[in-house]
Amino acid sequence: MDGHMDIAKYYTVSEDTGSENPIIGLKSGSVPFSTSELKNCPMCRSPLRNINRYGRIVRRAWIDEATKKFIVWANAQFVPLASRMEQAEAKFREPVTEKPNPELSFALDRLSLKQIEVVGSRDQQIKIILKACNSIARYKDISRLRKDIKRFLKEVDEAEQPISRIHDLVQDARKHRGVNTEIIDLPSVLQVHNRLLTTVLLLRCDYAILSDFVTHGYTMASGGNLENLCFNLAANRKDCENLMQESRSRQQPAYEVEGLLYSARFVALERSRSASLSDADTTALVDSARDQLHLARTMCNTNPGQTAGMSEEVSAVEKMLRDSTFYAPVTNAEKAAVYAAMAQSFQGTGHWYYCANGHPFTVGNCGMPMETATCPQCGATVGGTHHQPAHGVRRAEDLDAEFGRRGR
């Protein structure tokens, strides 16, 4: 049975064949994705979870299996959200055919003796806009989409992942037994890729609503003058800064550039209709946004593989700051390819791999790596060149099989 469980892979075994208990110590800590599958008894196929001798190996396999299922589920949920976001932006770019609501316009005209302020947290801002546009069908779909994105963002948060829940249970048990509660290997197995992707998607959704409200929604709802509309988007810029800081710490230039771009877009929206900034403060804010765009362009030039197509976005936002024009960003071909690769994972195309530290990532198209990047979990090199994986990278055949089952 020890051979079937590959116990020598996890424990140091005595060379004394006559020893009653040949296990003399651990070889290393429990490494994520170090087990290929949950093994059962080779004789009766019953599970081995109640055999203490193999408890460590079995529990590691359970955790790995739960994490793999989480990865598969998260990718399956994200792809439709990204597709719906593209559809919502395309709808906003269509010519406006909906006519202003006369009754609502009259009601808002009576309230327009004072400015309509879009302020507070991002949730509060969107609530103000959707309340003003309650009768406008233009915002129905994207309102539902935003709720779905926020719900999914909570579901992929580290605290909701299987390993975090197990960690909390173990911490609680150790605390009640008076044992040192520090468990140091938790961060190495948490999955952050989908949370970062979804954080950017929510910023994208909020910007689309805000910019369309400026260009179409406010006039449709009230028929009023934009001089009666003002913003305070400090919370938006702060959220962008948080995204930039985390992306920088995880060596993820693409997400950091996204944060820089959206921060500058929010400045472009706010600068001519600020609810609180003086002219001098607004000028300083615009100058800061230009510096951010310069940094974003530098990062695009330094990391062309991970930021493909984003230089064009930098140029478009620079134009926004110059011309005071607003638009919903179009998904560039490179981002579309990333989403397509994620979708293809369910159809048997592309392949999954593990980095040197056991964190999964996917390669689209033919499934063979042609460029390197950085693992968002641990900073190790992922990908490869000329169809050859980088050092330490290995195929995740178990995840390929799991996605294959989803695709059938």
Side-chain angles (χ1 to χ4, degrees):
M1 187 69 80
D2 284 357
H4 173 67
M5 296 299 292
D6 201 11
I7 203 165
K9 179 180 177 181
Y10 307 96
Y11 296 94
T12 301
V13 180
S14 171
E15 296 180 359
D16 183 4
T17 57
S19 174
E20 182 177 344
N21 186 3
I23 298 175
I24 59 178
L26 283 171
K27 275 192 173 179
S28 63
S30 185
V31 179
F33 304 107
S34 57
T35 57
S36 58
E37 60 181 344
L38 279 166
K39 293 182 178 180
N40 296 326
C41 173
M43 301 296 292
C44 65
R45 312 307 300 168
S46 297
L48 302 174
R49 58 178 176 267
N50 294 324
I51 301 179
N52 292 336
R53 183 179 184 83
Y54 307 119
R56 186 181 185 87
I57 300 173
V58 171
R59 285 190 290 271
R60 176 75 265 171
W62 279 353
I63 293 172
D64 289 350
E65 189 70 16
T67 302
K68 291 169 190 174
K69 290 183 181 298
F70 173 82
I71 294 167
V72 172
W73 169 84
N75 278 273
Q77 296 297 310
F78 177 82
V79 172
L81 291 175
S83 177
R84 288 169 61 190
M85 187 68 241
E86 293 178 23
Q87 294 170 10
E89 290 170 338
K91 183 178 179 180
F92 278 171
R93 289 191 291 271
E94 294 174 356
V96 177
T97 57
E98 195 170 356
K99 297 180 180 180
N101 184 331
E103 295 182 3
L104 181 61
S105 298
F106 176 75
L108 287 178
D109 283 343
R110 297 185 63 184
L111 294 174
S112 63
L113 297 174
K114 63 177 182 178
Q115 288 183 323
I116 296 178
E117 297 186 352
V118 180
V119 297
S121 68
R122 287 162 57 197
D123 287 344
Q124 291 170 332
Q125 295 166 21
I126 301 303
K127 184 177 180 180
I128 291 169
I129 291 173
L130 295 180
K131 182 178 180 180
C133 301
N134 183 53
S135 64
I136 300 178
R138 184 179 184 84
Y139 295 101
K140 300 296 184 183
D141 290 343
I142 200 167
S143 174
R144 287 191 291 267
L145 173 60
R146 187 178 191 274
K147 291 179 181 177
D148 291 342
I149 293 173
K150 280 187 64 68
R151 180 170 59 249
F152 179 63
L153 186 58
K154 291 180 180 179
E155 291 171 343
V156 296
D157 186 78
E158 284 87 331
E160 297 300 318
Q161 295 182 26
I163 183 61
S164 288
R165 296 188 176 188
I166 295 172
H167 171 270
D168 291 342
L169 290 172
V170 173
Q171 289 280 67
D172 187 64
R174 290 162 67 95
K175 181 179 179 180
H176 281 84
R177 294 183 181 182
V179 180
N180 182 359
T181 60
E182 184 179 5
I183 303 176
I184 62 175
D185 64 344
L186 177 63
S188 68
V189 295
L190 291 173
Q191 306 299 312
V192 301
H193 176 63
N194 282 96
R195 179 176 58 76
L196 291 174
L197 270 177
T198 311
T199 297
V200 172
L201 190 64
L202 186 59
L203 284 170
R204 178 177 167 183
C205 183
D206 287 354
Y207 172 76
I209 294 172
L210 287 164
S211 61
D212 189 81
F213 185 65
V214 171
T215 54
H216 300 297
Y218 179 74
T219 303
M220 291 173 64
S222 67
N225 191 322
L226 283 177
E227 291 180 357
N228 292 328
L229 175 65
C230 58
F231 287 106
N232 182 340
L233 304 184
N236 309 54
R237 299 194 303 275
K238 179 61 177 176
D239 289 343
C240 291
E241 179 63 31
N242 292 338
L243 173 63
M244 287 182 264
Q245 289 179 357
E246 180 177 9
S247 302
R248 196 175 302 126
S249 68
R250 295 185 181 280
Q251 301 178 33
Q252 294 295 298
Y255 295 125
E256 185 174 355
V257 170
E258 292 278 19
L260 291 164
L261 286 171
Y262 277 105
S263 180
R265 287 180 178 122
F266 288 129
V267 169
L269 276 176
E270 182 181 8
R271 70 170 182 176
S272 60
R273 47 188 62 83
S274 173
S276 58
L277 297 175
S278 65
D279 290 343
D281 289 338
T282 301
T283 300
L285 193 61
V286 172
D287 288 343
S288 175
R290 292 196 175 102
D291 291 341
Q292 289 180 325
L293 292 176
H294 178 73
L295 175 58
R297 187 173 295 282
T298 300
M299 294 183 67
C300 288
N301 294 334
T302 306
N303 305 275
Q306 298 181 63
T307 59
M310 300 184 79
S311 291
E312 291 81 357
E313 293 188 56
V314 175
S315 298
V317 181
E318 288 174 339
K319 188 174 186 300
M320 285 177 58
L321 285 174
R322 287 196 306 270
D323 302 342
S324 297
T325 56
F326 315 111
Y327 66 97
V330 180
T331 301
N332 62 46
E334 288 74 15
K335 285 184 185 176
V338 171
Y339 298 154
M342 294 174 71
Q344 289 167 359
S345 297
F346 309 108
Q347 302 168 2
T349 59
H351 289 303
W352 282 84
Y353 295 81
Y354 291 122
C355 77
N357 294 315
H359 301 122
F361 65 95
T362 186
V363 175
N365 298 324
C366 70
M368 304 302 289
M370 289 297 292
E371 64 179 6
T372 59
T374 303
C375 174
Q377 267 80 254
C378 65
T381 300
V382 297
T385 56
H386 306 298
H387 287 180
Q388 295 297 317
H391 178 71
V393 171
R394 57 189 172 89
R395 276 286 299 275
E397 296 180 356
D398 46 0
L399 280 178
D400 274 341
E402 186 69 34
F403 274 101
R405 288 194 290 273
R406 283 291 186 103
R408 288 198 291 268

